[in-house]
């Protein structure tokens, strides 16, 4: 009887059952027919919420089982391992990656017990991956020599404390649009310059506590070698007035958003921004201890007159 209903009506009913959030109703719907099971499972596994280690183990076993009713692994689009990353999960993540060819986003958490060999497998099995968040690799004191060039659809990457070398960074595909580097001290100036100039699609670039990279990145940005860049974020005590100076001396540079957080910039930079030496629409200068309240008020008044936006106390990006 159910099979006689129009395809779109069956889909609509299954969507309603899934959105109800009732696990018993979902299970009952999956037993109606293989078509209904497909509808429910395709949504359930698309962005499966992993809350604890036992649930993670069951998820991996279901996806990788050779005797399965439906191709569960093909439904998976998003995986967040932050809740289980403190356990030894490398073997199971290795298995998971091999069975999720349509994976689009994965977060390994920080620090992660996933090994370099498993990360390398993503380039082989997850061709559609476009978001990768990498935390520090637990008990891995060496430089990570990894080739990301196989991830041809990758558009967003976060690298947190992972000791990758310059060759690995530059193997990221030219499709990259959003880059966030956190506590990354293993990259030299030559490698970061090459990355900036060979990845012309980068629209957002964030550096957080990267002690040796900020000056080089701002110099490259000011030189016009990153034409698509619209959002720039700099955080850390290594960022000071000299870091920003090259941006202020680039009259052709226009940013949609510029964020300075927990830096050592002073009122001198604020005075330059008041003088409109850097064209930026959204400005965030929250949590910068060396900027006085008077300088903030002066900048706020200046930007109000020009109709641009500024945040003083909250994160913008």
């Amino acid at each position: 009887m159910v099979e006689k209903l129009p395809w779109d009506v069956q889909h609509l009913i299954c969507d309603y059952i899934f959105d109800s959030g009732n696990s018993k109703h979902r299970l009952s719907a999956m037993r109606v027919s293989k078509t209904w099971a497909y509808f429910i499972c395709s949504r359930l596994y698309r962005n499966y919420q992993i809350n604890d280690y036992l649930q993670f183990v069951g998820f991996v076993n279901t996806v990788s089982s050779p005797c399965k009713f439906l191709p569960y692994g093909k439904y998976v689009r998003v995986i967040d391992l932050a809740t289980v990353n403190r356990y030894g999960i490398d073997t199971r993540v290795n298995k998971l990656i091999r069975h999720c060819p349509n994976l689009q986003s994965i977060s390994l958490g920080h620090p992660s017990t996933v090994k370099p060999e498993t990360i390398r497998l993503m380039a082989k099995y997850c061709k559609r991956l476009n978001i990768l968040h990498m935390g520090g690799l637990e008990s891995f004191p060496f430089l990570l020599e990894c080739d990301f060039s196989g991830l041809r659809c990758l558009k967003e990457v976060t690298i947190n404390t992972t000791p990758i070398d310059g060759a690995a960074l530059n193997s990221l595909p030219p499709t990259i649009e959003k880059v966030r580097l956190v506590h990354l001290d293993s990259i030299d100036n030559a490698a970061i310059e090459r990355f900036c100039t060979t990845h012309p699609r980068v629209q957002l670039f964030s550096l957080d506590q990267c002690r040796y990279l900020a000056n080089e990145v701002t110099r490259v940005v000011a030189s016009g070698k990153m034409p698509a860049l619209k959002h720039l974020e700099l955080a850390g005590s290594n960022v000071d007035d000299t870091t920003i100076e090259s941006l202020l001396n680039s009259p052709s540079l226009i940013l949609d958003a510029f964020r300075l957080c927990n830096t050592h910039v002073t009122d001198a930079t604020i005075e330059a921004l008041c003088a409109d030496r850097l064209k930026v629409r959204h400005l965030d200068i929250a949590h910068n201890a060396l900027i006085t309240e008077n300088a903030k008020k002066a900048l706020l008044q200046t930007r109000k007159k020009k109709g641009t936006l500024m945040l003083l106390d909250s994160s913008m990006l």
Side-chain angles (χ1 to χ4, degrees), residues 196-242:
C196 292
T197 55
T198 56
H199 292 76
R201 297 185 185 180
V202 173
Q203 299 176 14
L204 183 150
F205 206 117
S206 174
L207 293 177
D208 188 352
Q209 306 293 335
C210 297
R211 291 181 293 175
Y212 310 119
L213 301 182
N215 288 343
E216 185 64 20
V217 168
T218 53
R219 185 190 67 79
V220 175
V221 170
S223 68
K225 294 180 179 179
M226 301 183 72
L229 186 68
K230 296 299 180 183
H231 297 249
L232 180 62
E233 181 176 351
L234 303 175
S237 58
N238 60 299
V239 178
D240 54 23
D241 294 334
T242 58

Coordinates of all heavy atoms in Angstrom, one line a residue, residues 196-242:
C196 N 50.8 31.5 0.0 CA 50.0 32.7 -0.3 C 49.9 33.0 -1.8 O 48.8 33.4 -2.3 CB 50.5 33.9 0.5 SG 50.3 33.7 2.3
T197 N 51.0 32.9 -2.5 CA 51.1 33.3 -3.9 C 50.6 32.2 -4.8 O 50.2 32.5 -5.9 CB 52.5 33.6 -4.3 OG1 53.4 32.6 -3.9 CG2 53.0 34.9 -3.5
T198 N 50.5 30.9 -4.3 CA 50.1 29.8 -5.2 C 48.6 29.4 -4.9 O 48.2 28.4 -5.5 CB 51.0 28.6 -5.1 OG1 51.1 28.2 -3.7 CG2 52.4 29.0 -5.6
H199 N 48.0 30.1 -4.0 CA 46.6 29.8 -3.6 C 45.7 31.0 -3.8 O 45.3 31.6 -2.8 CB 46.5 29.2 -2.2 CG 47.1 27.8 -2.1 ND1 48.5 27.7 -2.0 CD2 46.6 26.6 -2.0 CE1 48.8 26.4 -1.9 NE2 47.6 25.7 -1.9
P200 N 45.5 31.4 -5.0 CA 44.8 32.7 -5.3 C 43.3 32.8 -4.9 O 42.8 33.9 -4.9 CB 44.9 32.8 -6.8 CG 45.0 31.4 -7.3 CD 45.7 30.7 -6.2
R201 N 42.7 31.7 -4.5 CA 41.3 31.7 -4.1 C 41.1 31.9 -2.6 O 39.9 32.0 -2.2 CB 40.6 30.4 -4.5 CG 40.7 30.1 -6.0 CD 39.9 28.8 -6.3 NE 40.0 28.4 -7.7 CZ 39.3 27.4 -8.2 NH1 38.6 26.6 -7.5 NH2 39.5 27.1 -9.5
V202 N 42.1 32.0 -1.8 CA 41.9 32.2 -0.4 C 41.2 33.5 -0.1 O 41.6 34.6 -0.5 CB 43.3 32.2 0.3 CG1 43.1 32.6 1.8 CG2 44.0 30.9 0.2
Q203 N 40.0 33.4 0.6 CA 39.2 34.6 0.9 C 39.3 34.9 2.4 O 39.1 36.1 2.8 CB 37.8 34.3 0.6 CG 37.5 34.0 -0.9 CD 36.1 33.6 -1.2 OE1 35.2 33.8 -0.4 NE2 35.8 33.1 -2.4
L204 N 39.6 33.9 3.2 CA 39.8 34.1 4.7 C 41.1 33.5 5.1 O 41.4 32.4 4.9 CB 38.6 33.5 5.4 CG 38.6 33.7 7.0 CD1 37.1 33.8 7.5 CD2 39.4 32.7 7.7
F205 N 41.9 34.3 5.8 CA 43.2 33.9 6.3 C 43.2 34.3 7.8 O 43.1 35.4 8.1 CB 44.3 34.5 5.6 CG 45.6 33.6 5.6 CD1 46.1 33.1 4.4 CD2 46.2 33.4 6.8 CE1 47.2 32.3 4.4 CE2 47.4 32.6 6.8 CZ 47.9 32.0 5.6
S206 N 43.4 33.3 8.7 CA 43.5 33.5 10.1 C 44.8 32.9 10.7 O 45.1 31.7 10.4 CB 42.3 32.9 10.8 OG 42.4 33.0 12.2
L207 N 45.5 33.7 11.4 CA 46.7 33.3 12.1 C 46.5 33.5 13.6 O 46.2 34.6 14.0 CB 47.9 34.1 11.6 CG 48.4 33.9 10.2 CD1 49.6 34.8 9.9 CD2 48.8 32.4 10.0
D208 N 46.6 32.5 14.4 CA 46.4 32.6 15.8 C 47.6 32.0 16.5 O 47.9 30.8 16.5 CB 45.1 31.8 16.2 CG 44.8 32.0 17.7 OD1 45.5 32.6 18.4 OD2 43.7 31.5 18.1
Q209 N 48.4 32.9 17.2 CA 49.6 32.5 18.0 C 50.6 31.8 17.1 O 51.3 30.8 17.5 CB 49.2 31.5 19.1 CG 48.1 32.1 20.0 CD 48.6 33.2 20.9 OE1 49.8 33.4 21.1 NE2 47.7 34.1 21.3
C210 N 50.7 32.2 15.8 CA 51.8 31.7 14.9 C 53.0 32.7 15.0 O 52.9 33.7 14.3 CB 51.3 31.6 13.5 SG 49.9 30.4 13.4
R211 N 54.0 32.4 15.8 CA 55.0 33.4 16.2 C 55.8 33.9 15.0 O 56.2 35.1 15.1 CB 55.9 32.7 17.2 CG 55.3 32.5 18.5 CD 56.3 31.9 19.5 NE 56.7 30.5 19.1 CZ 57.6 29.8 19.7 NH1 58.3 30.3 20.7 NH2 57.9 28.6 19.3
Y212 N 56.0 33.1 14.0 CA 56.9 33.5 12.9 C 56.3 33.9 11.6 O 57.0 34.2 10.6 CB 57.9 32.4 12.7 CG 58.6 31.9 14.0 CD1 58.4 30.6 14.3 CD2 59.3 32.7 14.8 CE1 59.0 30.1 15.5 CE2 59.9 32.2 16.0 CZ 59.7 30.9 16.3 OH 60.2 30.4 17.5
L213 N 55.0 33.9 11.5 CA 54.3 34.0 10.2 C 53.6 35.3 10.0 O 53.4 35.7 8.8 CB 53.3 32.8 10.0 CG 53.8 31.4 10.1 CD1 52.7 30.4 9.9 CD2 55.0 31.2 9.1
A214 N 53.2 36.0 11.0 CA 52.3 37.2 10.8 C 53.0 38.3 10.0 O 52.3 38.8 9.0 CB 52.0 37.8 12.2
N215 N 54.2 38.6 10.2 CA 54.9 39.6 9.4 C 55.0 39.3 7.9 O 54.7 40.1 7.1 CB 56.3 39.9 10.0 CG 56.3 40.6 11.3 OD1 55.3 41.2 11.7 ND2 57.4 40.6 12.0
E216 N 55.3 38.0 7.6 CA 55.4 37.6 6.2 C 54.0 37.6 5.6 O 53.9 38.0 4.4 CB 56.0 36.2 6.2 CG 56.3 35.8 4.7 CD 57.3 36.6 4.0 OE1 58.1 37.3 4.7 OE2 57.4 36.6 2.8
V217 N 53.0 37.2 6.3 CA 51.7 37.1 5.7 C 51.2 38.5 5.4 O 50.6 38.8 4.3 CB 50.7 36.4 6.6 CG1 49.2 36.6 6.1 CG2 51.0 34.9 6.6
T218 N 51.3 39.5 6.3 CA 50.9 40.8 6.0 C 51.6 41.5 4.9 O 51.1 42.2 4.1 CB 51.0 41.7 7.3 OG1 52.3 41.6 7.8 CG2 50.0 41.2 8.4
R219 N 52.9 41.1 4.8 CA 53.7 41.7 3.7 C 53.2 41.2 2.3 O 53.1 41.9 1.4 CB 55.2 41.3 3.9 CG 56.1 41.9 2.8 CD 57.5 41.4 2.9 NE 57.5 39.9 2.5 CZ 57.5 39.5 1.3 NH1 57.5 40.4 0.2 NH2 57.6 38.2 1.0
V220 N 52.9 39.9 2.3 CA 52.4 39.3 1.0 C 51.0 39.8 0.7 O 50.7 40.2 -0.5 CB 52.4 37.7 1.1 CG1 51.7 37.1 -0.1 CG2 53.8 37.2 1.3
V221 N 50.2 40.0 1.7 CA 48.8 40.5 1.5 C 48.9 42.0 0.9 O 48.2 42.3 0.0 CB 48.0 40.5 2.8 CG1 46.7 41.3 2.6 CG2 47.7 39.1 3.2
A222 N 49.8 42.7 1.6 CA 50.0 44.1 1.1 C 50.5 44.2 -0.3 O 50.2 45.2 -1.0 CB 50.9 44.9 2.1
S223 N 51.3 43.2 -0.7 CA 51.8 43.3 -2.1 C 50.8 43.0 -3.2 O 51.1 43.0 -4.3 CB 53.0 42.3 -2.2 OG 52.6 41.0 -2.1
G224 N 49.6 42.5 -2.8 CA 48.6 42.3 -3.7 C 48.6 40.9 -4.3 O 48.0 40.6 -5.3
K225 N 49.4 39.9 -3.7 CA 49.5 38.6 -4.2 C 48.4 37.7 -3.8 O 48.4 36.5 -4.2 CB 50.9 38.0 -3.8 CG 52.0 38.7 -4.4 CD 53.4 38.1 -4.0 CE 54.5 38.9 -4.6 NZ 55.8 38.3 -4.2
M226 N 47.4 38.2 -3.0 CA 46.3 37.4 -2.6 C 45.0 38.2 -3.0 O 44.3 38.8 -2.2 CB 46.3 37.1 -1.1 CG 47.5 36.4 -0.6 SD 47.4 36.0 1.1 CE 46.2 34.7 1.2
P227 N 44.7 38.2 -4.3 CA 43.6 39.1 -4.8 C 42.2 38.8 -4.3 O 41.4 39.7 -4.3 CB 43.7 38.9 -6.3 CG 44.3 37.5 -6.5 CD 45.3 37.4 -5.4
A228 N 42.0 37.6 -3.9 CA 40.6 37.2 -3.4 C 40.4 37.4 -1.9 O 39.3 37.3 -1.4 CB 40.3 35.7 -3.8
L229 N 41.5 37.8 -1.2 CA 41.4 37.9 0.2 C 40.4 39.0 0.7 O 40.6 40.1 0.3 CB 42.8 38.1 0.8 CG 42.8 38.1 2.4 CD1 42.6 36.7 2.9 CD2 44.1 38.7 2.9
K230 N 39.5 38.6 1.5 CA 38.5 39.6 2.0 C 38.5 39.6 3.6 O 38.0 40.6 4.1 CB 37.1 39.2 1.5 CG 36.9 39.3 0.0 CD 37.2 40.8 -0.5 CE 37.1 40.9 -2.0 NZ 37.4 42.2 -2.5
H231 N 38.9 38.5 4.2 CA 38.8 38.5 5.7 C 40.2 38.1 6.2 O 40.8 37.1 5.8 CB 37.9 37.4 6.1 CG 36.4 37.6 5.8 ND1 35.5 37.9 6.7 CD2 35.8 37.6 4.6 CE1 34.3 38.1 6.0 NE2 34.5 37.9 4.8
L232 N 40.8 38.9 7.1 CA 42.1 38.7 7.6 C 42.0 38.8 9.2 O 41.4 39.7 9.7 CB 43.1 39.7 7.1 CG 44.5 39.6 7.7 CD1 45.1 38.3 7.3 CD2 45.4 40.8 7.2
E233 N 42.5 37.8 9.8 CA 42.4 37.7 11.3 C 43.8 37.4 11.8 O 44.5 36.4 11.4 CB 41.4 36.6 11.7 CG 41.3 36.5 13.2 CD 40.3 35.5 13.7 OE1 39.5 35.0 12.8 OE2 40.2 35.2 14.9
L234 N 44.3 38.3 12.8 CA 45.6 38.1 13.4 C 45.4 38.1 14.9 O 44.8 39.0 15.5 CB 46.5 39.2 13.0 CG 46.8 39.4 11.5 CD1 47.6 40.7 11.2 CD2 47.4 38.2 10.9
A235 N 45.9 37.1 15.5 CA 45.8 37.0 17.0 C 47.2 36.5 17.6 O 47.9 35.7 17.0 CB 44.7 36.0 17.4
G236 N 47.5 37.1 18.7 CA 48.7 36.7 19.4 C 49.6 37.8 19.8 O 49.6 38.9 19.1
S237 N 50.4 37.7 20.8 CA 51.3 38.8 21.3 C 52.4 39.1 20.3 O 53.0 40.1 20.4 CB 51.9 38.4 22.6 OG 52.6 37.2 22.5
N238 N 52.7 38.2 19.3 CA 53.7 38.5 18.3 C 53.3 39.6 17.3 O 54.1 40.1 16.6 CB 54.1 37.3 17.6 CG 52.9 36.6 16.9 OD1 51.9 36.3 17.5 ND2 53.0 36.5 15.5
V239 N 52.0 39.9 17.3 CA 51.4 40.9 16.3 C 51.5 42.2 17.0 O 50.9 42.5 18.0 CB 50.0 40.5 15.9 CG1 49.4 41.6 15.0 CG2 49.9 39.2 15.3
D240 N 52.2 43.2 16.4 CA 52.3 44.5 16.9 C 52.2 45.6 15.8 O 51.8 45.2 14.7 CB 53.7 44.7 17.7 CG 54.9 44.3 16.8 OD1 54.8 44.4 15.6 OD2 55.9 44.0 17.4
D241 N 52.5 46.8 16.1 CA 52.4 47.9 15.1 C 53.2 47.6 13.8 O 52.8 48.0 12.7 CB 52.8 49.2 15.7 CG 51.8 49.6 16.9 OD1 50.6 49.2 16.8 OD2 52.2 50.3 17.8
T242 N 54.4 47.1 14.0 CA 55.2 46.8 12.8 C 54.6 45.8 11.9 O 54.8 45.8 10.7 CB 56.6 46.4 13.3 OG1 56.6 45.2 14.1 CG2 57.3 47.5 14.1

